[in-house]
Amino acid sequence: MNTLERKVSEALRAYGEGLDMTTQDIDRLEEQLEVKDEAHRKERRGRLWQAAVAACAVTGVVLGALALRSDPEPRTVPASPPPLTLNQLAGLWANTGDGPGLLWLWYFTEDGRMTTVGPAAGLISDEPWVDWTVRPAPGGFTLDRTENGERCHFDASASMTAAGRMTATLTTTTPDCDDAAIAQDWGFVRISPVSAAGATLDSGLPTLEPKSVSSTSDLDGTWLIRGTGTLVVVVHERYRVLDLGEPAAAENGSLSQTKAGSFVFTPKDDPDCPTTYASAVTRGSTVALELAGNSCGRLGQATETWVKLHN
């Protein structure tokens, strides 16, 4: 019995003597109180159990709803990668996918023009380079040109890495174009402005036993100063220096030999400040040069390696 019920029982006994009640009657009343108390406790337990069941049911519904909401939603996959921008394409790219010794250059401009350059004479020439019109397109870019009244159009899919590598595939073309390159993957490395991949680019030419450069003709070709975006182009004792990342580095001039292994690059605009190399050692694919102590100018560092891109 609880406190209140106990007090009622004691009161009944206290005042029962003045009533027409026996001790058995009082005991019977106490038993009825206990039965009522037990029933009351059972009823409270039942209500608590029902509440717990209801709470569990609600919890189950909530958990089920959360489980449904946590199911991964179908991801929307874009139909194709976004187009490359003209700013991403701008620069000189070495085409590394045509085989040994054939590192042709693709030159993209920010205003949407592109040309391909093969032999060094193409880079040293004052003729305009513009050959193609470039436009960004879903998943890559397009190339257009008109020659002799005939239009040639290419669609190219392309992807590019932050390190300066690009893979391009010509997917479709018009009948007036050569379709031999369709579906071939072409690899490119951006060499100027300098990129991480371009800074460590190797030549496509075979490496030979080292020997001292004995003639200016041994320096003919297109060279990339390793670790930079600077190209040195030499053709028949003429040279051109260009770096699309540093336009101020552009230079034109003449090349001469003072003695075996010593060469002088004399800039056209500043002939009184030539760049003199005390020695040059070639391995076919590269040439290692050491700047003379009395050199007025310099093309790169005091000691540097040039990587040959093409002849």
Side-chain angles (χ1 to χ4, degrees):
M1 291 185 293
N2 59 28
T3 302
L4 178 62
E5 291 167 341
R6 191 180 299 108
K7 288 183 178 180
V8 172
S9 177
E10 290 174 354
L12 285 173
R13 289 184 179 279
Y15 294 101
E17 296 176 322
L19 298 175
D20 189 15
M21 297 178 68
T22 65
T23 301
Q24 289 79 10
D25 293 332
I26 293 174
D27 290 338
R28 189 166 56 254
L29 287 172
E30 287 181 344
E31 290 175 0
Q32 291 176 355
L33 283 172
E34 290 177 354
V35 170
K36 182 179 179 182
D37 177 60
E38 179 64 25
H40 181 65
R41 283 198 298 270
K42 289 182 178 180
E43 181 181 356
R44 282 191 300 170
R45 285 198 299 269
R47 284 199 296 267
L48 288 174
W49 174 253
Q50 291 172 359
V53 170
C56 289
V58 172
T59 303
V61 171
V62 172
L63 290 175
L66 290 176
L68 289 175
R69 291 189 62 181
S70 64
D71 285 344
E73 296 181 1
R75 296 182 179 179
T76 301
V77 180
S80 59
L84 298 177
T85 66
L86 293 177
N87 185 58
Q88 287 176 303
L89 288 168
L92 272 172
W93 295 78
N95 182 353
T96 60
D98 278 349
L102 298 176
L103 295 184
W104 281 64
L105 304 184
W106 287 35
Y107 173 48
F108 292 88
T109 65
E110 291 184 356
D111 60 353
R113 316 297 286 179
M114 190 280 289
T115 190
T116 56
V117 184
L123 279 172
I124 207 168
S125 171
D126 292 326
E127 295 295 322
W129 289 358
V130 174
D131 286 325
W132 298 84
T133 298
V134 184
R135 293 183 179 89
F141 55 86
T142 65
L143 299 173
D144 282 278
R145 69 179 296 179
T146 300
E147 189 174 10
N148 299 325
E150 296 182 344
R151 176 175 178 262
C152 179
H153 172 89
F154 281 109
D155 293 310
S157 63
S159 61
M160 189 182 299
T161 70
R165 295 186 181 276
M166 178 171 65
T167 301
T169 305
L170 300 182
T171 55
T172 59
T173 182
T174 57
D176 294 333
C177 294
D178 181 5
D179 62 358
I182 292 297
Q184 294 183 13
D185 292 334
W186 289 0
F188 294 87
V189 172
R190 194 183 74 220
I191 56 177
S192 188
V194 65
S195 68
T200 58
L201 179 67
D202 289 325
S203 174
L205 297 169
T207 300
L208 308 175
E209 290 296 320
K211 68 174 184 177
S212 179
V213 174
S214 58
S215 169
T216 58
S217 62
D218 290 337
L219 295 178
D220 280 354
T222 301
W223 305 85
L224 174 66
I225 300 180
R226 176 164 283 166
T228 75
T230 302
L231 282 83
V232 182
V233 187
V234 179
V235 177
H236 303 316
E237 298 187 344
R238 294 172 57 207
Y239 77 92
R240 169 171 286 176
V241 178
L242 65 154
D243 189 329
L244 299 182
E246 299 182 20
E251 181 177 305
N252 294 282
S254 60
L255 170 64
S256 61
Q257 182 177 10
T258 57
K259 60 181 180 179
S262 180
F263 300 89
V264 179
F265 290 79
T266 304
K268 180 179 178 181
D269 295 336
D270 192 5
D272 295 329
C273 190
T275 298
T276 304
Y277 288 98
S279 66
V281 177
T282 180
R283 301 195 62 165
S285 60
T286 60
V287 61
L289 300 101
E290 184 177 347
L291 199 68
N294 62 347
S295 178
C296 175
R298 61 170 58 194
L299 302 182
Q301 302 299 317
T303 301
E304 59 199 24
T305 298
W306 297 0
V307 178
K308 196 166 192 177
L309 302 181
H310 49 59
N311 296 319

